[in-house]
Amino acid sequence: MSYNIRTREEYTRSYQNSVEKKTEFWEGIAKEFTWFKPWNTVMNCDMKEASFKWFEGAKTNITFNSIDRHLERKSEQTAIIFEPNMPNEQATHISYSVLHKKVCKMANLLSEMGINKGDRVAIYLPMIPELAVSVLACARIGAVHSVIFAGFSSGALAARVNDSSCKMVITADGSFRGNKTIDLKGIVDEALTQCPCVEKVLVAERTMTQIKMKNNRDYFLKPLLEKASEKHEAVHMDAEDPLFILYTSGSTGKPKGMVHTTGGYMVYTAYTFNNVFAYEPNDVYWCTADIGWITGHSYIVYGPLLNGATTLMFEGVPSYPNPGRFWEVIDKYKVNQFYTAPTAIRALAKESIEHVNRYDLSSLKIIGTVGEPINEEAWQWYNTNIGKKKCPIVDTWWQTETGGILISPLPHISPQIPTFATNPLPGIEPVLMDENGNESNENDTVGKLCIKYPWPSIARTIWGDHKRYKETYFTAFPGYYFTGDGAKRNKDGMFRITGRVDDVIIVSGHNLGTAPIEDAINEHPMVAESAIVGFPHDIKGNALYGFVTLKELPDGNKNIKLEINKIISEKIGPIAKLDRIQFTSGLPKTRSGKIMRRILRKIAEGDFSNFGDISTLLNPEIVEEIKNGRV
Ligand code: WT7
């Protein structure tokens, strides 16, 4: 590929070009793809207005580029390896030509079911091939996919389906996760009692459990797909037509539906996949994320397939049937690039090293991490035991909003510095902002991480709420994209991301806004008020600590803590459950009524050393009470 970066010189030259000749730089990369009609302008962006247009006027189709484009040379090559939850179940190898047929059939079926270009389709599926096929089929007909992680509860599913008024839900009878079977269809049925927008539900059969099917609404996929034609002409999409919506949590209870569009997202994810993972033909690449998150969208489905790669989809969990599963799968398929999350690394590092040493990991060339800052201990364990000190670690920093990786080491090019994401990729200009909102241009400094110029896969808006998009990301530092993260730049200009500086807490790599969790807690009839903060946790990175004030004292028989976690599980999902709950008679507040989370955070961490100035509090005496009641 002409856009490969494999040497330091290539990186330096590309980076320089990307800064000095932005238009030519991105145009050169975009030319690698198939466009049905060329663009009029490469970029037309305005950070102040949060308006981003790339490759305007061009027509393309990302599924065509991910599959059809490779058929001539790679039709028999494996596109997707499906490794099931149960190790004794036969794995599936889906070649590019078979994937093409499956996606065409699904595309025809969606059209027959009344889905048109621009319609929203919710996908609530486990990590089975139907998930990738549904995503690609939506994109093929121009329907906007909204994948909702299958660990979300019925309440969270309903809120997301309604927010973008999805016409259809694609789901499964159930899902397998380790030794558990989850009743997905039951969760969908419950959600849909609140979703009048949904006309049809397609059901993949995975667990073969007994489920209810509603007449004229619910249809099993298999018989319909059998009848569908395997010929389908990909719809010509405008470069700026929406490709998908993916929800992320934010500072209010309402999830933010980040909208990504077609052309820029395609160019950027393909470019970054190729270079960050130094993917070479015939490599087997494995990212352990779920397609329900952006990592799966960009680096299980689109990025790899756009490069004609072989991408592995794993249905299960790292601990089942034993904590050697990841390493077994790497050995089984001779995986060359492996990409996972710090929380998984920490959990597996706690297990006996025998689970690793039983397997041959010598196929590995590059290992990656994503989702939260990796601590030094986990980095060293990964480097020594998995990479055997010969595989570069790519600590990739990015976000749902950025569409693709922005800051990451490039293998054999960037220095290996534990916990550092090191260099920006070509086209990305990170800056650190000081207390006064000015760029700190010196090295050896810390600040709030912003990005100075747009890149092709920046989110275009929040579905239905451009004002919120602009306010959340473009007002704190006018003219810049504000990431919500803090970062450090060392004396050599290398970046290390230190963590969120806003009210998002990352638990086991899942991005959780405090507001939706507090809203859920406050639904308990006895709760007056609540505040959530994070505290360090060995495996999860952060865990949640809730400070809750009750309206009245509970009678002895009521287990309010359990009830609170039950509500959270129902409204958001088990991932958002609190590890600790403390009842208090009040919360520390400023005179304007804002909860001082800084103090709660310190108490949760068990750090009572210095609370800073608490004289501005309305109720300074509460600090002592909360401190003494720490659980
Ligand atoms: C937040 C975005 C990007 C896909 C998965 C998460 C944190 C992500 C790193 C990293 C330190 C990281 C940031 C970011 N984060 N990668 N390599 N080092 N922090 O996507 O759910 O949108 O979360 O994850 O805090 O803002 P997301």
Side-chain angles (χ1 to χ4, degrees):
M1 218 83 74
S2 76
Y3 55 67
N4 285 12
I5 300 177
R6 298 291 184 270
T7 63
R8 185 160 309 172
E9 293 65 41
E10 282 167 352
Y11 170 70
T12 312
R13 191 169 357 105
S14 299
Y15 194 84
Q16 204 166 352
N17 282 340
S18 78
V19 173
E20 288 166 7
K21 304 178 200 148
K22 292 186 167 52
T23 307
E24 291 88 333
F25 174 78
W26 288 115
E27 188 158 42
I29 296 167
K31 282 187 176 152
E32 289 282 330
F33 300 88
T34 302
W35 301 82
F36 305 126
K37 180 173 171 280
W39 45 87
N40 305 323
T41 47
V42 172
M43 58 189 289
N44 177 8
C45 299
D46 182 343
M47 279 274 203
K48 289 215 167 70
E49 286 310 310
S51 160
F52 306 102
K53 297 197 167 77
W54 287 82
F55 311 112
E56 252 183 315
K59 297 265 188 199
T60 188
N61 185 288
I62 194 169
T63 295
F64 184 94
N65 275 283
S66 299
I67 307 175
D68 307 42
R69 191 165 58 104
H70 309 306
L71 288 179
E72 206 176 302
R73 287 182 304 120
K74 298 192 170 177
S75 68
E76 295 318 308
Q77 187 203 299
T78 301
I80 298 176
I81 301 172
F82 170 61
E83 168 72 12
N85 179 61
M86 282 73 87
N88 54 359
E89 187 184 333
Q90 182 73 39
T92 324
H93 292 250
I94 304 171
S95 67
Y96 272 92
S97 75
V98 170
L99 182 63
H100 181 252
K101 289 191 185 114
K102 283 182 183 288
V103 170
C104 286
K105 276 174 171 281
M106 182 69 114
N108 283 319
L109 174 59
L110 294 178
S111 302
E112 279 163 32
M113 286 279 183
I115 301 298
N116 298 309
K117 179 168 182 265
D119 287 344
R120 274 80 58 207
V121 173
I123 303 177
Y124 186 71
L125 279 170
M127 282 287 284
I128 56 177
E130 286 86 343
L131 172 49
V133 169
S134 300
V135 160
L136 292 159
C138 283
R140 195 170 181 91
I141 65 168
V144 180
H145 56 77
S146 171
V147 183
I148 299 157
F149 173 60
F152 274 122
S153 68
S154 62
L157 172 62
R160 285 159 179 75
V161 165
N162 284 333
D163 181 74
S164 47
S165 45
C166 295
K167 254 170 98 171
M168 174 184 271
V169 178
I170 307 178
T171 189
D173 49 359
S175 70
F176 293 127
R177 275 181 76 74
N179 50 22
K180 285 198 227 118
T181 303
I182 296 151
D183 172 24
L184 278 196
K185 179 62 167 52
I187 298 172
V188 170
D189 288 341
E190 197 178 316
L192 294 196
T193 60
Q194 306 163 50
C195 304
C197 49
V198 173
E199 295 166 11
K200 298 248 172 349
V201 178
L202 297 180
V203 185
E205 284 159 286
R206 176 62 182 134
T207 53
M208 297 295 167
T209 29
Q210 275 289 317
I211 54 169
K212 288 203 192 99
M213 294 292 278
K214 190 170 165 183
N215 246 345
N216 296 322
R217 188 196 72 180
D218 302 351
Y219 301 85
F220 283 114
L221 258 176
K222 201 167 154 219
L224 297 176
L225 285 176
E226 271 165 11
K227 279 187 281 173
S229 156
E230 53 184 51
K231 290 208 165 42
H232 183 274
E233 196 71 35
V235 169
H236 291 199
M237 302 285 288
D238 280 335
E240 281 300 336
D241 276 337
L243 172 64
F244 66 85
I245 302 170
L246 187 59
Y247 286 88
T248 185
S249 39
S251 56
T252 73
K254 207 168 151 18
K256 295 181 285 193
M258 305 312 307
V259 177
H260 284 283
T261 58
T262 304
Y265 177 83
M266 172 172 85
V267 169
Y268 195 79
T269 53
Y271 177 67
T272 51
F273 172 77
N274 181 308
N275 290 315
V276 171
F277 298 102
Y279 187 87
E280 298 298 334
N282 303 317
D283 281 351
V284 174
Y285 161 88
W286 180 20
C287 165
T288 68
D290 192 290
I291 296 175
W293 311 115
I294 191 72
T295 309
H297 281 60
S298 302
Y299 300 110
I300 296 177
V301 181
Y302 289 119
L305 297 180
L306 284 164
N307 283 282
T310 298
T311 177
L312 195 153
M313 259 182 95
F314 174 47
E315 184 186 31
V317 294
S319 55
Y320 177 82
N322 61 60
R325 187 69 188 277
F326 274 4
W327 325 126
E328 180 189 350
V329 173
I330 291 174
D331 189 355
K332 180 172 174 192
Y333 297 104
K334 306 294 168 218
V335 169
N336 303 110
Q337 291 90 357
F338 176 68
Y339 190 28
T340 194
T343 187
I345 298 169
R346 286 190 296 261
L348 296 173
K350 285 217 175 326
E351 304 290 342
S352 156
I353 198 68
E354 278 312 299
H355 288 297
V356 178
N357 292 344
R358 250 185 294 152
Y359 300 103
D360 174 11
L361 304 183
S362 62
S363 57
L364 288 174
K365 296 195 280 191
I366 288 149
I367 55 179
T369 138
V370 62
E372 61 190 301
I374 185 165
N375 48 309
E376 168 124 23
E377 203 185 338
W379 194 99
Q380 298 292 4
W381 184 88
Y382 198 32
N383 185 39
T384 309
N385 297 295
I386 306 307
K388 316 288 183 196
K389 297 196 173 160
K390 67 170 181 61
C391 301
I393 296 183
V394 289
D395 178 354
T396 65
W397 174 83
W398 58 298
Q399 311 177 293
T400 306
E401 295 85 338
T402 69
I405 297 166
L406 300 195
I407 307 182
S408 171
L410 292 178
H412 306 294
I413 294 175
S414 315
Q416 286 283 296
I417 320 172
T419 78
F420 274 72
T422 69
N423 300 124
L425 299 188
I428 306 305
E429 291 174 63
V431 291
L432 297 180
M433 295 300 191
D434 68 17
E435 299 284 283
N436 305 317
N438 299 319
E439 281 183 35
S440 324
N441 292 314
E442 308 295 309
N443 279 344
D444 200 4
T445 186
V446 294
K448 292 185 175 167
L449 179 64
C450 288
I451 313 291
K452 202 164 168 168
Y453 289 103
W455 62 98
S457 66
I458 186 171
R460 301 302 194 257
T461 191
I462 291 174
W463 183 265
D465 199 348
H466 195 69
K467 187 162 159 275
R468 184 175 180 199
Y469 180 59
K470 206 168 134 182
E471 275 166 10
T472 309
Y473 303 101
F474 302 94
T475 49
F477 305 98
Y480 298 83
Y481 167 77
F482 174 45
T483 65
D485 281 324
K488 164 192 168 108
R489 192 169 46 222
N490 75 5
K491 58 179 185 3
D492 305 315
M494 300 292 152
F495 285 91
R496 170 172 192 232
I497 315 304
T498 46
R500 301 293 308 189
V501 292
D502 58 5
D503 43 15
V504 169
I505 305 169
I506 301 185
V507 179
S508 297
H510 299 305
N511 211 326
L512 300 173
T514 51
I517 303 173
E518 289 162 6
D519 289 352
I521 299 172
N522 298 347
E523 290 206 7
H524 190 288
M526 287 182 72
V527 170
E529 211 180 13
S530 61
I532 303 297
V533 297
F535 69 99
H537 184 281
D538 270 5
I539 291 175
K540 301 181 189 181
N542 295 295
L544 299 179
Y545 193 122
F547 297 89
V548 177
T549 62
L550 298 174
K551 289 178 190 157
E552 56 191 290
L553 283 179
D555 72 51
N557 302 326
K558 275 191 98 56
N559 199 334
I560 300 185
K561 291 186 180 179
L562 280 180
E563 288 169 7
I564 286 176
N565 266 335
K566 189 159 169 272
I567 299 179
I568 295 174
S569 279
E570 283 162 10
K571 295 271 160 202
I572 300 162
I575 48 175
K577 282 207 271 192
L578 309 183
D579 270 38
R580 293 190 191 156
I581 300 178
Q582 177 179 351
F583 296 127
T584 108
S585 71
L587 297 169
K589 291 203 181 148
T590 63
R591 280 166 210 282
S592 59
K594 255 186 102 184
I595 297 168
M596 266 237 211
R597 287 166 197 279
R598 171 173 69 74
I599 293 173
L600 296 176
R601 230 173 270 134
K602 291 200 97 177
I603 295 177
E605 285 167 15
D607 171 8
F608 301 158
S609 57
N610 177 13
F611 289 121
D613 184 10
I614 60 169
S615 65
T616 57
L617 287 181
L618 203 59
N619 50 348
E621 70 290 344
I622 200 74
V623 176
E624 199 58 27
E625 181 202 310
I626 300 181
K627 202 174 100 183
N628 294 332
R630 180 171 178 268
V631 290

